[in-house]
Amino acid sequence: MAAFEGSQRCFFAFLLSVPTFHHYRFLGSLGSIVIKCKDLRIIQLDIPGMEESLNIAGSIEALSTLDSITLMYPFFYRPMFEVTEDGWHSFLPEQEFEFLSSVTNEWRLSYVNKDFSVCPSYPPIVTVPKSIDDETLCKVAMFRHGGRFPVLSYYHKKNGMVMMRSSQPLTGTNARRCKEDEKLINATLRAGKRGYIIDTRSLTIAQQARAKGGGFEQEAHYPQWRRIHKSIERYNILQESLIKLVEACNDQSHNMDRWLSKLEASNWLTHVKEILTTACLAAQCIDREGASVLVHGTEGTDSTLQVTSLAQIILDPRCRTIHGFEALIEREWLQAGHPFQLRCAQSAYSNSKQKWEAPVFLLFLDCIWQILRQFPCSFEFNYHFLIMLFEHSYASQFGTFLGSNENERCKLKLPQKTMSLWSWVNRPEELNRFKNPLFEANSLVIWPSVAPQSLQLWEGVFLRWNRSSRFLDESYEEMINIIKYNKELQVKVNMLRRQLAELETDDSTQDDDMLESP
């Protein structure tokens, strides 16, 4: 049964991962269909007979261009494993708030968005300062792009500083202000403390946004806050970068200069560096400067989430565990309204450019891999876990990454009609595949290097279909065996130490008896 479940999963993963791009050719009566998949693999099917080839090609095209989300495979998938955990209820806001309320009483849960009327892309429940009422939140929402008013992203237990996230303020060309917005943001500051606003746009782009009704926080109205602009690219620039990178990785010319030139021209590692640098800045403001932080770009659904979630990986050891990382993805990506349905539509292979397509989540996972590589003992999960998340964000039999926000997922009734990814991942037999054998709990803040020589191409994603991973797999297995053997030796050492201590105790007792005897 388990073997069938595995083969079934592989077959449907293949069907799910086919984008709208494929082509076919005929040589005599043999038809060849070349399929380029969302997980970046390229497959060639050689099928005897022209009619059969055309029929199969037509079926693949139809399955890869479905008109409705409800026709996608997650709505028809029925698991063949025993469901012991309902992943849809594993990471509820109330559960996260229990941990927060155990260390501070300055925050509250707000249900102001329970019907998604205040902010369509926010979840029904958000965490806000206790001193701010719902009426104030409604006024602030009208001043923020898409209604995304500032909400709590992270509380730093070490010093009580916080990280908030939102969208841009709608200041416009008239320098419009909102005293309720100022009150909300200032409510996060301690007496005599300053805060930092990290804008993920360049100053030029932020200024240009004013002409369209957007803008940024004016110093005159936010005197206790210092604004820092850190440019992180988005949308088509990121998508073009991914396409160029995959093209470089598929280049079979074996020319070193050409390969290095194409890799550099893709700018992929530059984007990784920009994101990591900004996340380190946010973490530094909180941990070393002892200041609270507000992060936003334009919509607050892309680069903002990259920065807030990576900063938490740096600061919070809980987020470096499997359960904690899953909770982070739920809280900072799914519930926070990252539009997965738009961003992860076609991957790198497509014959039509999708306006809103962008590998935002893949870049985030790449940044995590870079940190994991630099701190191999600080993460409970391994790189297989990250690759699995990449694959399921683009194509999955589970409903977790369907839709672009909680509002859409409620309308689609995903918890009732589809299975959660976490229900499958968190089974013990699956979890064992994703555990890092080197893991040792590290309660410290970890500071990744963003120096050019410290960042590497993620071969596990971008080169895994182009060259054999046999030697990497063998070395990984050998590492596991060495760690297992080391643990066995450690058990023997501890046993021998106990035996030695018992013998020394017995010898000491005999010596005392001899001294006491006449």
Side-chain angles (χ1 to χ4, degrees), residues 4-227:
F4 178 76
E5 171 72 17
S7 61
Q8 182 200 46
R9 189 166 64 239
C10 290
F11 174 70
F12 282 114
F14 162 72
L15 285 181
L16 286 162
S17 65
V18 178
T20 57
F21 182 92
H22 69 272
H23 63 270
Y24 48 87
R25 63 178 183 270
F26 296 98
L27 184 62
S29 61
L30 185 67
S32 291
I33 302 175
V34 177
I35 304 171
K36 296 185 176 181
C37 304
K38 291 181 182 179
D39 61 2
L40 308 183
R41 94 180 94 179
I42 299 176
I43 299 170
Q44 178 173 316
L45 302 178
D46 293 329
I47 303 159
M50 183 180 296
E51 186 177 350
E52 287 83 353
S53 298
L54 290 172
N55 287 338
I56 292 172
S59 297
I60 293 174
E61 178 118 30
L63 287 170
S64 64
T65 55
L66 296 172
D67 296 328
S68 170
I69 294 179
T70 56
L71 294 176
M72 292 183 171
Y73 183 54
F75 286 91
F76 303 94
Y77 172 70
R78 295 295 176 265
M80 299 188 68
F81 57 85
E82 183 182 358
V83 179
T84 56
E85 173 188 342
D86 182 2
W88 291 111
H89 297 94
S90 296
F91 305 101
L92 299 176
E94 294 91 342
Q95 295 169 348
E96 285 294 314
F97 186 74
E98 280 183 20
F99 171 77
L100 177 66
S101 59
S102 68
V103 293
T104 178
N105 62 355
E106 298 173 344
W107 299 82
R108 71 179 181 90
L109 288 178
S110 171
Y111 299 82
V112 69
N113 197 45
K114 61 181 182 297
D115 57 358
F116 304 104
S117 60
V118 176
C119 176
S121 62
Y122 266 178
I125 308 171
V126 292
T127 305
V128 296
K130 185 179 282 187
S131 60
I132 304 298
D133 58 33
D134 285 353
E135 184 181 351
T136 301
L137 295 178
C138 292
K139 291 179 180 179
V140 177
M142 294 175 67
F143 181 67
R144 291 279 170 174
H145 184 105
R148 293 177 68 88
F149 55 88
V151 296
L152 180 68
S153 174
Y154 171 67
Y155 180 89
H156 197 41
K157 190 167 65 171
K158 173 182 172 182
N159 57 14
M161 297 300 107
V162 300
M163 179 164 54
M164 306 274 284
R165 51 175 162 77
S166 69
S167 59
Q168 66 174 340
L170 302 178
T171 54
T173 53
N174 297 325
R176 179 179 166 224
R177 70 181 293 190
C178 174
K179 291 186 178 180
E180 290 82 6
D181 187 79
E182 297 160 24
K183 179 183 177 182
L184 169 55
I185 294 176
N186 289 333
T188 66
L189 294 178
R190 297 289 173 89
K193 289 282 187 178
R194 288 174 58 86
Y196 290 90
I197 297 174
I198 298 178
D199 194 322
T200 61
R201 306 165 294 179
S202 67
L203 178 58
T204 302
I205 292 176
Q207 288 174 334
Q208 290 172 352
R210 294 167 66 181
K212 300 177 182 177
F216 49 85
E217 294 80 1
Q218 301 290 326
E219 289 86 346
H221 302 151
Y222 301 85
Q224 293 173 274
W225 294 82
R226 179 189 170 194
R227 197 178 69 251

Side-chain angles (χ1 to χ4, degrees), residues 354-388:
Q354 306 289 320
K355 184 179 181 181
W356 306 113
E357 176 96 9
V360 177
F361 187 64
L362 175 55
L363 269 166
F364 161 69
L365 293 176
D366 198 325
C367 291
I368 296 293
W369 178 79
Q370 303 286 346
I371 304 175
L372 192 157
R373 197 180 55 78
Q374 294 181 28
F375 296 90
C377 300
S378 295
F379 290 81
E380 187 184 14
F381 52 85
N382 56 28
Y383 65 90
H384 293 297
F385 189 63
L386 300 176
I387 293 173
M388 178 273 297

